[in-house]
Amino acid sequence: MIRRHTAQAATGTAHFLGEGPVWDPARQRLLWVDIMAGDVHEGRLADGRIEPVRTWSFEQSVGAVAVAADGDLLVAERETLTRVRADGSRAPLVRVLPEGSPGRLNDGAVDPSGRFLVGSLGTGREVLVRFEGGGCTTIDDDLTLSNGLAWSPAGDRFYSVDTLTRTVYVRDYPAGERSVLFTVGDGHPDGLCVDAAGNLWLAIWGGGRVECRTPAGELVAMVEVDAPNTSSVAFAGPDLDVLVITTATQDMSAADLAAQPLSGRLFTAHVGVPGLLPAYWDPGL
């Protein structure tokens, strides 16, 4: 039997393309992005609510954010990766996409060793790369829209999403042959995370839900979200027992927004399992 949960709206304001929630346990803060607005947001989690604290704004889109152990941020701007130090200063790190690319960087995540991975969309031939040694190593170069990234509790299995083919891939990590774990029939797979038991929690864009699947791909639970464009997920809170869900108003008409006015907000849900302790980005790798 599939377990069912319901998410609750946790913010009062909406984002056009809310994405990429990241929990920073050392500072007990939540980070997320509004991609097309070029904003990185920081908030505090309390009683199922997320209170905004701070925003960093960039000139163009921001696909993802990661955090280092010392609190510095790694931000995937439109074509490049940038380090944002605690004092607010910014330093460019590496160019990932060619200057003037028709596409942009999209979802990213930190692997268990502390290296940052990020993918692209809209370039015509999408890539997934790993930032290491001051440059980027290409992992995939044949994707349609690189999206959610996550690892098993042991760090030896790597899950990745190709949204337009509705595919979730799995491979041994750090080096292994990619294979299809499962495909989604209703809606498009977007961001994902893994819980302490090794199950995947996957946001379904256009489906208004988050699916929980076993490492074998079996559907075992579902979180209903009162917003159709669920975009990403992360476990947060002192006990890592709050599932944070980002949503978007992108692709919604005025009639759609009137019918589902909570769209674009962040949501939270208690799903009865804790998540994994997030890995910090290691600037030295």
Side-chain angles (χ1 to χ4, degrees), residues 6-21:
T6 301
Q8 306 295 323
T11 55
T13 57
H15 301 300
F16 180 73
L17 187 48
E19 259 281 9

Side-chain angles (χ1 to χ4, degrees), residues 228 249 251-263:
T249 60
D251 299 335
M252 297 183 68
S253 66
D256 293 335
L257 292 171
Q260 294 179 296
L262 297 179
S263 295

Side-chain angles (χ1 to χ4, degrees), residues 197-234:
N199 294 317
L200 287 70
W201 295 82
L202 175 67
I204 306 296
W205 180 277
R209 69 186 188 277
V210 174
E211 294 183 353
C212 176
R213 293 183 180 254
T214 69
E218 178 188 0
L219 180 64
V220 293
M222 190 176 301
V223 183
E224 296 180 353
V225 183
D226 196 11
N229 294 335
T230 48
S231 56
S232 194
V233 288

